[in-house]
mmCIF file of all heavy atoms in Angstrom:
data_model
loop_
_atom_site.group_PDB
_atom_site.id
_atom_site.type_symbol
_atom_site.label_atom_id
_atom_site.label_comp_id
_atom_site.label_asym_id
_atom_site.label_seq_id
_atom_site.Cartn_x
_atom_site.Cartn_y
_atom_site.Cartn_z
ATOM 1 N N LEU B 44 1.699 7.888 -17.415
ATOM 2 C CA LEU B 44 1.728 7.756 -15.963
ATOM 3 C C LEU B 44 0.678 6.761 -15.481
ATOM 4 O O LEU B 44 0.935 5.928 -14.616
ATOM 5 C CB LEU B 44 1.500 9.118 -15.304
ATOM 6 C CG LEU B 44 2.651 10.118 -15.423
ATOM 7 C CD1 LEU B 44 2.213 11.484 -14.903
ATOM 8 C CD2 LEU B 44 3.865 9.627 -14.638
ATOM 9 N N HIS B 45 -0.498 6.846 -16.055
ATOM 10 C CA HIS B 45 -1.584 5.955 -15.637
ATOM 11 C C HIS B 45 -1.233 4.493 -15.893
ATOM 12 O O HIS B 45 -1.572 3.611 -15.097
ATOM 13 C CB HIS B 45 -2.873 6.336 -16.351
ATOM 14 C CG HIS B 45 -3.537 7.533 -15.747
ATOM 15 N ND1 HIS B 45 -4.745 8.038 -16.184
ATOM 16 C CD2 HIS B 45 -3.175 8.337 -14.718
ATOM 17 C CE1 HIS B 45 -5.083 9.088 -15.467
ATOM 18 N NE2 HIS B 45 -4.142 9.286 -14.568
ATOM 19 N N GLU B 46 -0.549 4.229 -16.996
ATOM 20 C CA GLU B 46 -0.136 2.863 -17.278
ATOM 21 C C GLU B 46 0.910 2.396 -16.273
ATOM 22 O O GLU B 46 0.874 1.260 -15.805
ATOM 23 C CB GLU B 46 0.416 2.764 -18.707
ATOM 24 C CG GLU B 46 -0.664 2.734 -19.773
ATOM 25 C CD GLU B 46 -1.651 1.589 -19.585
ATOM 26 O OE1 GLU B 46 -1.205 0.429 -19.398
ATOM 27 O OE2 GLU B 46 -2.865 1.862 -19.594
ATOM 28 N N SER B 47 1.847 3.281 -15.949
ATOM 29 C CA SER B 47 2.893 2.900 -15.002
ATOM 30 C C SER B 47 2.340 2.733 -13.594
ATOM 31 O O SER B 47 2.828 1.904 -12.814
ATOM 32 C CB SER B 47 4.015 3.945 -15.002
ATOM 33 O OG SER B 47 3.568 5.182 -14.496
ATOM 34 N N PHE B 48 1.300 3.509 -13.249
ATOM 35 C CA PHE B 48 0.701 3.399 -11.919
ATOM 36 C C PHE B 48 0.153 2.002 -11.668
ATOM 37 O O PHE B 48 0.211 1.491 -10.547
ATOM 38 C CB PHE B 48 -0.429 4.416 -11.756
ATOM 39 C CG PHE B 48 0.038 5.848 -11.609
ATOM 40 C CD1 PHE B 48 -0.821 6.902 -11.871
ATOM 41 C CD2 PHE B 48 1.328 6.132 -11.211
ATOM 42 C CE1 PHE B 48 -0.402 8.216 -11.736
ATOM 43 C CE2 PHE B 48 1.766 7.439 -11.076
ATOM 44 C CZ PHE B 48 0.894 8.489 -11.338
ATOM 45 N N LYS B 49 -0.382 1.380 -12.712
ATOM 46 C CA LYS B 49 -1.013 0.069 -12.552
ATOM 47 C C LYS B 49 -0.019 -1.001 -12.110
ATOM 48 O O LYS B 49 -0.388 -1.984 -11.477
ATOM 49 C CB LYS B 49 -1.675 -0.355 -13.867
ATOM 50 C CG LYS B 49 -2.829 0.533 -14.296
ATOM 51 C CD LYS B 49 -3.366 0.096 -15.647
ATOM 52 C CE LYS B 49 -4.460 1.027 -16.134
ATOM 53 N NZ LYS B 49 -4.962 0.635 -17.485
ATOM 54 N N THR B 50 1.243 -0.809 -12.475
ATOM 55 C CA THR B 50 2.261 -1.809 -12.138
ATOM 56 C C THR B 50 3.269 -1.278 -11.112
ATOM 57 O O THR B 50 4.339 -1.863 -10.940
ATOM 58 C CB THR B 50 3.014 -2.242 -13.413
ATOM 59 O OG1 THR B 50 3.577 -1.081 -14.052
ATOM 60 C CG2 THR B 50 2.067 -2.932 -14.394
ATOM 61 N N ALA B 51 2.920 -0.183 -10.451
ATOM 62 C CA ALA B 51 3.823 0.388 -9.434
ATOM 63 C C ALA B 51 4.073 -0.644 -8.335
ATOM 64 O O ALA B 51 3.148 -1.316 -7.870
ATOM 65 C CB ALA B 51 3.209 1.651 -8.855
ATOM 66 N N ARG B 52 5.325 -0.764 -7.927
ATOM 67 C CA ARG B 52 5.696 -1.750 -6.924
ATOM 68 C C ARG B 52 5.614 -1.169 -5.514
ATOM 69 O O ARG B 52 5.752 0.032 -5.322
ATOM 70 C CB ARG B 52 7.117 -2.257 -7.179
ATOM 71 C CG ARG B 52 7.270 -3.034 -8.471
ATOM 72 C CD ARG B 52 8.674 -3.597 -8.593
ATOM 73 N NE ARG B 52 8.831 -4.401 -9.800
ATOM 74 C CZ ARG B 52 9.949 -5.051 -10.118
ATOM 75 N NH1 ARG B 52 11.001 -4.975 -9.308
ATOM 76 N NH2 ARG B 52 10.023 -5.760 -11.218
ATOM 77 N N ILE B 53 5.397 -2.041 -4.571
ATOM 78 C CA ILE B 53 5.386 -1.642 -3.165
ATOM 79 C C ILE B 53 6.831 -1.475 -2.707
ATOM 80 O O ILE B 53 7.695 -2.288 -3.025
ATOM 81 C CB ILE B 53 4.699 -2.723 -2.312
ATOM 82 C CG1 ILE B 53 3.289 -2.992 -2.830
ATOM 83 C CG2 ILE B 53 4.653 -2.308 -0.845
ATOM 84 C CD1 ILE B 53 2.660 -4.237 -2.243
ATOM 85 N N MET B 54 7.091 -0.410 -1.961
ATOM 86 C CA MET B 54 8.447 -0.215 -1.430
ATOM 87 C C MET B 54 8.822 -1.386 -0.516
ATOM 88 O O MET B 54 7.969 -1.873 0.247
ATOM 89 C CB MET B 54 8.517 1.088 -0.636
ATOM 90 C CG MET B 54 8.420 2.339 -1.481
ATOM 91 S SD MET B 54 8.393 3.838 -0.458
ATOM 92 C CE MET B 54 10.035 3.773 0.285
ATOM 93 N N PRO B 55 10.053 -1.870 -0.592
ATOM 94 C CA PRO B 55 10.477 -2.995 0.262
ATOM 95 C C PRO B 55 10.211 -2.702 1.742
ATOM 96 O O PRO B 55 10.575 -1.646 2.249
ATOM 97 C CB PRO B 55 11.984 -3.087 -0.018
ATOM 98 C CG PRO B 55 12.144 -2.509 -1.382
ATOM 99 C CD PRO B 55 11.141 -1.408 -1.468
ATOM 100 N N GLY B 56 9.556 -3.646 2.402
ATOM 101 C CA GLY B 56 9.308 -3.510 3.833
ATOM 102 C C GLY B 56 7.980 -2.871 4.198
ATOM 103 O O GLY B 56 7.566 -2.921 5.369
ATOM 104 N N ILE B 57 7.283 -2.261 3.230
ATOM 105 C CA ILE B 57 6.031 -1.571 3.551
ATOM 106 C C ILE B 57 4.944 -2.543 3.997
ATOM 107 O O ILE B 57 4.243 -2.309 4.992
ATOM 108 C CB ILE B 57 5.545 -0.741 2.346
ATOM 109 C CG1 ILE B 57 6.403 0.515 2.190
ATOM 110 C CG2 ILE B 57 4.080 -0.355 2.515
ATOM 111 C CD1 ILE B 57 6.255 1.507 3.323
ATOM 112 N N GLN B 58 4.784 -3.651 3.272
ATOM 113 C CA GLN B 58 3.747 -4.606 3.652
ATOM 114 C C GLN B 58 4.009 -5.154 5.052
ATOM 115 O O GLN B 58 3.095 -5.236 5.885
ATOM 116 C CB GLN B 58 3.689 -5.755 2.644
ATOM 117 C CG GLN B 58 2.567 -6.754 2.949
ATOM 118 C CD GLN B 58 2.397 -7.799 1.860
ATOM 119 O OE1 GLN B 58 3.104 -7.784 0.847
ATOM 120 N NE2 GLN B 58 1.464 -8.707 2.051
ATOM 121 N N ARG B 59 5.244 -5.494 5.323
ATOM 122 C CA ARG B 59 5.630 -5.994 6.650
ATOM 123 C C ARG B 59 5.330 -4.967 7.725
ATOM 124 O O ARG B 59 4.782 -5.284 8.786
ATOM 125 C CB ARG B 59 7.112 -6.338 6.625
ATOM 126 C CG ARG B 59 7.743 -6.682 7.968
ATOM 127 C CD ARG B 59 9.204 -7.048 7.740
ATOM 128 N NE ARG B 59 9.903 -7.359 8.977
ATOM 129 C CZ ARG B 59 10.792 -6.555 9.572
ATOM 130 N NH1 ARG B 59 11.063 -5.364 9.048
ATOM 131 N NH2 ARG B 59 11.389 -6.928 10.692
ATOM 132 N N LEU B 60 5.665 -3.708 7.467
ATOM 133 C CA LEU B 60 5.462 -2.646 8.448
ATOM 134 C C LEU B 60 3.978 -2.389 8.694
ATOM 135 O O LEU B 60 3.545 -2.278 9.849
ATOM 136 C CB LEU B 60 6.140 -1.360 7.982
ATOM 137 C CG LEU B 60 5.951 -0.128 8.861
ATOM 138 C CD1 LEU B 60 6.452 -0.389 10.275
ATOM 139 C CD2 LEU B 60 6.664 1.078 8.256
ATOM 140 N N VAL B 61 3.201 -2.311 7.622
ATOM 141 C CA VAL B 61 1.766 -2.049 7.764
ATOM 142 C C VAL B 61 1.087 -3.159 8.560
ATOM 143 O O VAL B 61 0.289 -2.904 9.466
ATOM 144 C CB VAL B 61 1.104 -1.886 6.380
ATOM 145 C CG1 VAL B 61 -0.424 -1.900 6.501
ATOM 146 C CG2 VAL B 61 1.562 -0.589 5.719
ATOM 147 N N GLU B 62 1.405 -4.391 8.240
ATOM 148 C CA GLU B 62 0.801 -5.520 8.947
ATOM 149 C C GLU B 62 1.201 -5.521 10.424
ATOM 150 O O GLU B 62 0.383 -5.827 11.307
ATOM 151 C CB GLU B 62 1.206 -6.830 8.278
ATOM 152 C CG GLU B 62 0.569 -7.005 6.897
ATOM 153 C CD GLU B 62 1.045 -8.261 6.185
ATOM 154 O OE1 GLU B 62 1.999 -8.908 6.692
ATOM 155 O OE2 GLU B 62 0.484 -8.588 5.128
ATOM 156 N N HIS B 63 2.441 -5.154 10.698
ATOM 157 C CA HIS B 63 2.915 -5.089 12.088
ATOM 158 C C HIS B 63 2.179 -3.994 12.859
ATOM 159 O O HIS B 63 1.718 -4.222 13.998
ATOM 160 C CB HIS B 63 4.418 -4.829 12.108
ATOM 161 C CG HIS B 63 4.980 -4.636 13.476
ATOM 162 N ND1 HIS B 63 5.195 -5.684 14.356
ATOM 163 C CD2 HIS B 63 5.361 -3.511 14.148
ATOM 164 C CE1 HIS B 63 5.687 -5.221 15.482
ATOM 165 N NE2 HIS B 63 5.802 -3.903 15.391
ATOM 166 N N LEU B 64 2.035 -2.823 12.258
ATOM 167 C CA LEU B 64 1.377 -1.711 12.937
ATOM 168 C C LEU B 64 -0.105 -1.996 13.162
ATOM 169 O O LEU B 64 -0.653 -1.660 14.215
ATOM 170 C CB LEU B 64 1.553 -0.425 12.127
ATOM 171 C CG LEU B 64 2.997 0.098 12.025
ATOM 172 C CD1 LEU B 64 3.055 1.333 11.143
ATOM 173 C CD2 LEU B 64 3.573 0.401 13.406
ATOM 174 N N LYS B 65 -0.746 -2.615 12.189
ATOM 175 C CA LYS B 65 -2.168 -2.954 12.350
ATOM 176 C C LYS B 65 -2.359 -3.968 13.465
ATOM 177 O O LYS B 65 -3.343 -3.910 14.204
ATOM 178 C CB LYS B 65 -2.736 -3.495 11.042
ATOM 179 C CG LYS B 65 -2.965 -2.425 9.986
ATOM 180 C CD LYS B 65 -3.831 -1.277 10.473
ATOM 181 C CE LYS B 65 -5.248 -1.719 10.798
ATOM 182 N NZ LYS B 65 -6.095 -0.577 11.235
ATOM 183 N N ALA B 66 -1.413 -4.892 13.594
ATOM 184 C CA ALA B 66 -1.493 -5.888 14.670
ATOM 185 C C ALA B 66 -1.373 -5.224 16.035
ATOM 186 O O ALA B 66 -1.869 -5.750 17.038
ATOM 187 C CB ALA B 66 -0.400 -6.940 14.496
ATOM 188 N N GLN B 67 -0.726 -4.030 16.069
ATOM 189 C CA GLN B 67 -0.583 -3.274 17.312
ATOM 190 C C GLN B 67 -1.687 -2.224 17.466
ATOM 191 O O GLN B 67 -1.632 -1.393 18.374
ATOM 192 C CB GLN B 67 0.783 -2.563 17.332
ATOM 193 C CG GLN B 67 1.969 -3.478 17.102
ATOM 194 C CD GLN B 67 2.105 -4.541 18.162
ATOM 195 O OE1 GLN B 67 1.872 -4.276 19.334
ATOM 196 N NE2 GLN B 67 2.473 -5.757 17.755
ATOM 197 N N ASN B 68 -2.678 -2.275 16.566
ATOM 198 C CA ASN B 68 -3.813 -1.328 16.586
ATOM 199 C C ASN B 68 -3.364 0.133 16.445
ATOM 200 O O ASN B 68 -3.939 1.039 17.067
ATOM 201 C CB ASN B 68 -4.636 -1.498 17.873
ATOM 202 C CG ASN B 68 -5.294 -2.857 17.968
ATOM 203 O OD1 ASN B 68 -5.870 -3.339 16.991
ATOM 204 N ND2 ASN B 68 -5.208 -3.485 19.122
ATOM 205 N N VAL B 69 -2.348 0.349 15.642
ATOM 206 C CA VAL B 69 -1.877 1.709 15.361
ATOM 207 C C VAL B 69 -2.682 2.269 14.188
ATOM 208 O O VAL B 69 -2.701 1.665 13.116
ATOM 209 C CB VAL B 69 -0.374 1.708 15.010
ATOM 210 C CG1 VAL B 69 0.079 3.119 14.631
ATOM 211 C CG2 VAL B 69 0.441 1.170 16.175
ATOM 212 N N PRO B 70 -3.352 3.411 14.348
ATOM 213 C CA PRO B 70 -4.131 4.000 13.241
ATOM 214 C C PRO B 70 -3.210 4.428 12.104
ATOM 215 O O PRO B 70 -2.119 4.957 12.343
ATOM 216 C CB PRO B 70 -4.804 5.217 13.878
ATOM 217 C CG PRO B 70 -4.707 5.003 15.353
ATOM 218 C CD PRO B 70 -3.457 4.205 15.580
ATOM 219 N N LEU B 71 -3.651 4.206 10.883
ATOM 220 C CA LEU B 71 -2.833 4.510 9.717
ATOM 221 C C LEU B 71 -3.554 5.447 8.754
ATOM 222 O O LEU B 71 -4.774 5.360 8.583
ATOM 223 C CB LEU B 71 -2.464 3.225 8.970
ATOM 224 C CG LEU B 71 -1.703 2.159 9.754
ATOM 225 C CD1 LEU B 71 -1.522 0.914 8.895
ATOM 226 C CD2 LEU B 71 -0.354 2.684 10.205
ATOM 227 N N ALA B 72 -2.789 6.328 8.125
ATOM 228 C CA ALA B 72 -3.342 7.238 7.119
ATOM 229 C C ALA B 72 -2.358 7.346 5.964
ATOM 230 O O ALA B 72 -1.153 7.128 6.132
ATOM 231 C CB ALA B 72 -3.605 8.618 7.720
ATOM 232 N N ILE B 73 -2.874 7.685 4.797
ATOM 233 C CA ILE B 73 -2.040 7.986 3.634
ATOM 234 C C ILE B 73 -2.338 9.413 3.214
ATOM 235 O O ILE B 73 -3.502 9.794 3.045
ATOM 236 C CB ILE B 73 -2.339 7.020 2.461
ATOM 237 C CG1 ILE B 73 -1.830 5.620 2.788
ATOM 238 C CG2 ILE B 73 -1.690 7.536 1.174
ATOM 239 C CD1 ILE B 73 -2.129 4.595 1.705
ATOM 240 N N VAL B 74 -1.288 10.214 3.064
ATOM 241 C CA VAL B 74 -1.425 11.573 2.545
ATOM 242 C C VAL B 74 -0.668 11.604 1.229
ATOM 243 O O VAL B 74 0.559 11.574 1.213
ATOM 244 C CB VAL B 74 -0.865 12.620 3.524
ATOM 245 C CG1 VAL B 74 -0.979 14.023 2.937
ATOM 246 C CG2 VAL B 74 -1.616 12.543 4.859
ATOM 247 N N SER B 75 -1.412 11.620 0.139
ATOM 248 C CA SER B 75 -0.819 11.487 -1.188
ATOM 249 C C SER B 75 -1.001 12.755 -2.010
ATOM 250 O O SER B 75 -2.035 13.416 -1.931
ATOM 251 C CB SER B 75 -1.464 10.304 -1.924
ATOM 252 O OG SER B 75 -1.010 10.224 -3.252
ATOM 253 N N SER B 76 0.002 13.071 -2.823
ATOM 254 C CA SER B 76 -0.115 14.185 -3.755
ATOM 255 C C SER B 76 -0.798 13.748 -5.046
ATOM 256 O O SER B 76 -1.033 14.571 -5.930
ATOM 257 C CB SER B 76 1.270 14.753 -4.074
ATOM 258 O OG SER B 76 1.829 15.378 -2.932
ATOM 259 N N SER B 77 -1.104 12.459 -5.155
ATOM 260 C CA SER B 77 -1.815 11.950 -6.328
ATOM 261 C C SER B 77 -3.293 12.308 -6.262
ATOM 262 O O SER B 77 -3.846 12.478 -5.173
ATOM 263 C CB SER B 77 -1.682 10.426 -6.414
ATOM 264 O OG SER B 77 -0.343 10.040 -6.574
ATOM 265 N N SER B 78 -3.915 12.394 -7.422
ATOM 266 C CA SER B 78 -5.362 12.575 -7.464
ATOM 267 C C SER B 78 -6.021 11.290 -6.971
ATOM 268 O O SER B 78 -5.383 10.237 -6.894
ATOM 269 C CB SER B 78 -5.817 12.866 -8.897
ATOM 270 O OG SER B 78 -5.572 11.735 -9.726
#
Side-chain angles (χ1 to χ4, degrees):
L44 289 172
H45 282 183
E46 282 303 311
S47 66
F48 287 160
K49 295 176 184 178
T50 56
R52 294 185 177 183
I53 304 168
M54 290 176 65
I57 286 293
Q58 183 173 359
R59 171 178 178 254
L60 177 58
V61 168
E62 291 176 351
H63 175 76
L64 294 177
K65 286 306 295 182
Q67 306 298 321
N68 296 315
V69 176
L71 302 175
I73 290 178
V74 178
S75 174
S76 292
S77 298
S78 65

